[in-house]
Amino acid sequence: MFVPPQTMVLASGGQDGAICLWDVLTGSRVSHVYGHRGDVTSLVCTNSCVISSGLDDLICIWDRSTGIKLYSIQQEAGCGASLGVISESLLVTGGQGCVSFWDLNFGDLLQTVYLGQSSDGQGVRQLLVLDNAAIICDFGSELSLVYVPSVLEKLD
């Protein structure tokens, strides 16, 4: 479940792969779409889109006003469980020993930051975007802090 700040819309994901948008004031369902084969594991929103990830390692980007899927990104196995939004156009995902930054306008991978060596293939299960353009995430039994000013603009 995700409730974007300063809006009256709640986003929820289910075990059946469905993503629903709800009007918080009336309790009515605004949108109901299917995007995943199996559980929805994470949801985040921007002003213009809803981003979902699932156990199928797919990240789906939805138009928030129409509920239409704009595009999807197939991740490596086990990499799509954690999502964060840095800005209207910048998404961060947790991966196997790394975090990746994506251009939300085009679905392009901008940069991958590796967190260190892990012999057991530990993935980032949770991440939190901090106000000062940094990401804190778990990596094995440690917390990692990743600063992101270098990825705020796409490089050619």
Side-chain angles (χ1 to χ4, degrees):
M1 179 170 72
F2 185 82
V3 182
Q6 302 167 341
T7 66
M8 289 292 127
V9 176
L10 175 136
S12 67
Q15 291 178 322
D16 60 354
I19 295 97
C20 296
L21 296 181
W22 305 86
D23 183 314
V24 174
L25 295 177
T26 65
S28 63
R29 188 172 63 198
V30 176
S31 177
H32 183 212
V33 294
Y34 288 93
H36 297 279
R37 296 174 308 277
D39 297 8
V40 175
T41 57
S42 187
L43 286 168
V44 292
C45 297
T46 69
N47 289 331
S48 60
C49 64
V50 175
I51 302 127
S52 63
S53 66
L55 288 180
D56 56 2
D57 298 311
L58 196 64
I59 295 175
C60 298
I61 291 76
W62 308 87
D63 182 279
R64 189 166 162 177
S65 60
T66 65
I68 295 172
K69 183 165 51 170
L70 301 173
Y71 61 90
S72 58
I73 301 168
Q74 184 65 52
Q75 296 284 281
E76 293 179 23
C79 290
S82 52
L83 302 173
V85 174
I86 296 172
S87 70
E88 276 295 308
S89 61
L90 189 60
L91 172 71
V92 60
T93 62
Q96 295 295 325
C98 64
V99 291
S100 296
F101 299 90
W102 302 86
D103 181 332
L104 278 174
N105 296 320
F106 303 102
D108 294 336
L109 176 63
L110 299 174
Q111 185 173 351
T112 298
V113 176
Y114 293 92
L115 302 173
Q117 298 295 325
S118 176
S119 59
D120 56 2
Q122 286 283 350
V124 172
R125 293 181 313 270
Q126 296 181 23
L127 57 83
L128 177 65
V129 177
L130 303 176
D131 288 337
N132 62 352
I135 309 298
I136 190 164
C137 57
D138 66 340
F139 176 60
S141 61
E142 300 178 3
L143 291 177
S144 294
L145 185 63
V146 179
Y147 293 99
V148 294
S150 63
V151 299
L152 292 179
E153 294 183 18
K154 185 176 177 179
L155 301 176
D156 290 330

